[in-house]
Amino acid sequence: MSAAASCLLTENQFLCSICRNVFTDPVTIPCGHNFCKTCIAKHWDKNVQCQCPNCKEVFDSRPHLRVNTFISEMAAHSSEQQVSKPAEVPCDVCTGTKLKALKSCLVCLESYCETHLEPHLTRSGLKRHQLIDPVENLEGSMCLKHDKLLELFCKTDQTCVCILCTVSDHKTHNVVPLKEEYEGKKAELGKTDAEIQQMIQKRRLKIEEIKHSVELSKEDADRETADGVQVFTALKESVERSQAELIDTIKEKQRKTEKQAEGFIKELEQEISELKKRSTEVEKLSQSEDHLHLLQSFTSLNAAPPTKDWTEVTVRPPSFEGTVRRAVNQLEETLSKQMKKLFKAELKRVQQSAVDLTLDPDTANPWLILSDDGKQVNCGNVRKNLPNNPERFYCGNVLSKQSFSSGRFYYEVQVEGKTGWNLGVVRESINRKGVNTLAPQNGYWTICLRNENEYGARADPAVRLSLKSRPEKVGVFVDYEEGLVSFYDVDAAALIYSFTGCCFTEKLYPYFSPFNIDAGKNSAPLIISPVNYTE
């Protein structure tokens, strides 16, 4: 069947009224209407009556389905033409299912499938129309001024133009074929898409990083919770045990007192019984008329009965003084052991953030002596002639080369043999050319030793520290985001002091001040030590 003949039928005549698609195995029922064989069979399977879906005619029995060969051929021909896909230009004339356009007409400003293109190929008046490869939105593809196809691109004005525009408004402009500019812009879009994909990948990696941080945080939280539960459980058990022991001690003292009193009372009651018996005998004898009997019995009855001298006998209430205090002291010892265990675990965790530091000679005061490896510093007797660069301290201080503006870091400094020192972290912008008050508001978070045994935290106001032992190695831990700076006695696994609630907005530098040599007593250096992890 020719394409011209197929144009005599509307497109809807190729569509099944049930599924709205081109017929598949079309059949005709007695009323004359056509359906896909499967569609009408399923329709009747679901309904009690065999009724035509279009005209509603009811059939007494289920009709025999006969293939409509004419519709089959027409549907087969129609199906040979491709249905328009999303990226393809559809036919402007097709109704219902849009077929793929083969050509676009620059005169009619419409696109046509094979069937609807037939008139432009056969009619003399339409044959003169200019046909091009299918273009979507033809009206937008035409020059409004010259009614010509926009097939060039003006790079000067960054706009699409037609061939006539190049000899008028855009005569001296840089004009290139539309395809050339298209390829260039497509390459740019490819580059842009690659950049976008890279940005997407970075953000996916950031999501993974954040998720990993949350997992680590949960692990830390679970571990901290477990440690806390363990400590408080042990403390609770210790309190309950100490309370039970205290109550038992008090009860035992009271039991002994009651037992002693019961013994005395029993003994006194026995003596009272004996005395009552003697009293009865004396009274009976005093009433006797027998002179001889009274005289013979008088000596034995008149003598004092064998009793105990109770004058000095007392029951003293037990002394409970110090009982509670001793129980609390014992509890304190238990708590101290638990705290030491806790600090040991804490120190072990913060040591995982250990960093390798070296001293920065460009920041060192001229009186300071730095070792060649940048790990030791002490005060000398001679002032070196060094350039007064902006980084260098006026006072006897030095910073590390390394700085930190996020995360956590930890390092250890040996202070053994020194009578004075100052350690901690400082912000980058501190005044290095004058004498400063070493306090957080001035950018210093440090602790110090003065006069051999005076330890203090350079807070505002300053805090005097009472330490149980003299630290020989000090650990410094910083959590930038948490705003925390903690100092540890490494050997004792004990917390010395913590600055909390700090607000860090700049780079932080580890800070070292060995103090002057104090007539040789403080000549030992401060030494940045490798971290030996706490067991």
Side-chain angles (χ1 to χ4, degrees):
M1 184 175 288
S2 67
S6 67
C7 290
L8 298 175
L9 297 174
T10 65
E11 188 175 348
N12 284 336
Q13 289 175 296
F14 297 108
L15 304 180
C16 170
S17 61
I18 296 177
C19 67
R20 302 304 300 166
N21 290 320
V22 175
F23 285 112
T24 302
D25 295 333
V27 295
T28 304
I29 63 176
C31 63
H33 289 113
N34 303 294
F35 306 94
C36 296
K37 184 177 181 181
T38 303
C39 292
I40 190 63
K42 287 183 178 179
H43 178 77
W44 283 342
D45 288 343
K46 291 189 294 183
N47 295 278
V48 176
Q49 288 183 319
C50 288
Q51 186 181 43
C52 174
N54 289 353
C55 66
K56 308 305 179 185
E57 182 178 344
V58 178
F59 308 107
D60 295 333
S61 61
R62 188 162 181 161
H64 177 67
L65 299 177
R66 293 183 176 276
V67 176
N68 188 321
T69 55
F70 176 74
I71 295 293
S72 292
E73 292 176 3
M74 295 296 293
H77 177 77
S78 177
S79 63
E80 288 175 1
Q81 301 184 58
Q82 295 182 354
V83 176
S84 173
K85 298 176 183 177
E88 296 174 334
V89 178
C91 174
D92 291 322
V93 181
C94 287
T95 58
T97 303
K98 296 281 188 181
L99 299 181
K100 176 183 175 182
L102 297 183
K103 293 290 181 179
S104 294
C105 177
L106 295 179
V107 178
C108 302
L109 297 181
E110 285 188 330
S111 298
Y112 303 107
C113 64
E114 180 184 354
T115 300
H116 296 118
L117 181 63
E118 186 75 18
H120 278 74
L121 301 176
T122 56
R123 296 180 188 178
S124 57
L126 296 177
K127 279 184 178 181
R128 292 193 294 270
H129 289 188
Q130 185 179 353
L131 298 176
I132 61 172
D133 289 336
V135 177
E136 197 169 7
N137 187 23
L138 268 172
E139 291 185 4
S141 300
M142 303 297 291
C143 175
L144 298 177
K145 185 174 183 180
H146 302 110
D147 202 25
K148 294 288 184 181
L149 183 66
L150 298 172
E151 53 186 346
L152 300 170
F153 185 80
C154 176
K155 296 176 78 70
T156 305
D157 292 340
Q158 291 292 299
T159 185
C160 297
V161 297
C162 71
I163 189 68
L164 295 180
C165 291
T166 62
V167 295
S168 57
D169 299 341
H170 300 267
K171 185 176 182 180
T172 60
H173 292 180
N174 182 13
V175 178
V176 298
L178 204 63
K179 185 177 181 181
E180 179 181 326
E181 186 65 19
Y182 163 82
E183 295 295 340
K185 288 292 191 289
K186 189 174 182 180
E188 286 184 25
L189 287 175
K191 184 179 178 182
T192 301
D193 184 57
E195 291 173 353
I196 291 172
Q197 293 302 321
Q198 189 175 19
M199 292 172 67
I200 291 171
Q201 183 62 22
K202 285 182 179 179
R203 279 150 183 78
R204 283 175 176 164
L205 290 174
K206 180 57 70 173
I207 289 172
E208 293 303 315
E209 178 187 327
I210 292 171
K211 286 181 177 179
H212 182 60
S213 296
V214 171
E215 289 175 2
L216 292 179
S217 176
K218 187 177 184 305
E219 289 175 6
D220 288 345
D222 291 343
R223 182 174 58 248
E224 201 70 21
T225 299
D227 290 345
V229 169
Q230 183 180 359
V231 169
F232 278 96
T233 299
L235 183 59
K236 180 182 176 183
E237 290 174 353
S238 181
V239 169
E240 291 174 348
R241 185 169 55 252
S242 296
Q243 177 181 311
E245 290 173 357
L246 172 65
I247 293 171
D248 287 345
T249 300
I250 294 172
K251 285 183 176 180
E252 179 61 21
K253 285 187 176 183
Q254 180 62 20
R255 188 188 64 78
K256 287 181 178 179
T257 301
E258 290 176 355
K259 187 175 180 181
Q260 183 188 40
E262 287 174 1
F264 289 157
I265 291 171
K266 185 176 181 180
E267 193 175 347
L268 285 167
E269 287 176 343
Q270 287 177 348
E271 289 190 359
I272 290 171
S273 178
E274 290 295 327
L275 289 171
K276 283 184 176 180
K277 183 178 178 183
R278 176 65 64 88
S279 175
T280 301
E281 292 176 352
V282 169
E283 183 180 359
K284 183 179 178 182
L285 184 60
S286 65
Q287 294 176 357
S288 175
E289 298 292 335
D290 187 340
H291 300 157
L292 179 62
H293 174 67
L294 186 148
L295 292 174
Q296 288 177 339
S297 303
F298 176 80
T299 302
S300 60
L301 290 177
N302 191 47
T307 56
K308 185 176 181 178
D309 183 4
W310 293 93
T311 306
E312 301 298 330
V313 175
T314 59
V315 175
R316 296 183 181 277
S319 174
F320 298 111
E321 297 301 324
T323 305
V324 176
R325 176 177 50 77
R326 285 190 293 273
V328 172
N329 287 342
Q330 186 177 354
L331 189 59
E332 284 181 349
E333 290 179 9
T334 303
L335 178 59
S336 178
K337 290 178 182 177
Q338 290 295 328
M339 289 297 290
K340 187 169 183 178
K341 184 179 178 182
L342 186 63
F343 281 131
K344 195 171 184 179
E346 180 179 324
L347 181 58
K348 186 176 180 179
R349 285 198 300 272
V350 301
Q351 285 178 329
Q352 303 304 312
S353 302
V355 293
D356 185 22
L357 300 181
T358 51
L359 300 171
D360 184 358
D362 290 337
T363 66
N365 176 269
W367 288 95
L368 299 184
I369 301 172
L370 274 61
S371 63
D372 292 339
D373 63 0
K375 299 294 185 181
Q376 302 185 27
V377 59
N378 63 335
C379 189
N381 290 314
V382 179
R383 188 181 190 278
K384 295 188 288 294
N385 185 19
L386 298 173
N388 187 24
N389 51 291
E391 297 84 11
R392 195 174 306 284
F393 278 96
Y394 170 78
C395 296
N397 311 321
V398 63
L399 302 181
S400 71
K401 291 181 180 179
Q402 294 76 19
S403 64
F404 305 89
S405 55
S406 65
R408 303 171 180 177
F409 62 95
Y410 172 85
Y411 59 94
E412 293 179 355
V413 183
Q414 183 177 310
V415 296
E416 184 180 3
K418 296 192 65 61
T419 61
W421 48 261
N422 196 16
L423 294 172
V425 292
V426 297
R427 66 184 177 214
E428 185 177 31
S429 65
I430 57 170
N431 178 16
R432 307 185 189 192
K433 299 303 180 182
V435 178
N436 295 323
T437 299
L438 306 189
Q441 65 267 27
N442 293 327
Y444 293 80
W445 293 269
T446 67
I447 63 170
C448 68
L449 166 65
R450 287 184 175 277
N451 303 323
E452 297 191 36
N453 57 9
E454 295 178 7
Y455 292 93
R458 295 302 186 89
D460 184 28
V463 177
R464 181 149 187 178
L465 302 175
S466 178
L467 306 184
K468 291 183 178 180
S469 60
R470 185 183 183 87
E472 294 184 353
K473 188 180 291 184
V474 175
V476 183
F477 173 71
V478 177
D479 187 327
Y480 194 97
E481 284 74 21
E482 191 69 21
L484 173 69
V485 182
S486 294
F487 299 86
Y488 296 88
D489 181 339
V490 177
D491 297 321
L495 179 68
I496 297 174
Y497 186 79
S498 286
F499 292 92
T500 59
C502 310
C503 183
F504 302 130
T505 57
E506 302 178 22
K507 290 180 180 178
L508 295 180
Y509 285 85
Y511 164 91
F512 309 83
S513 180
F515 284 11
N516 59 50
I517 57 176
D518 191 18
K521 291 190 292 184
N522 194 36
S523 59
L526 290 174
I527 304 174
I528 300 172
S529 305
V531 174
N532 295 319
Y533 296 99
T534 302
E535 294 298 329

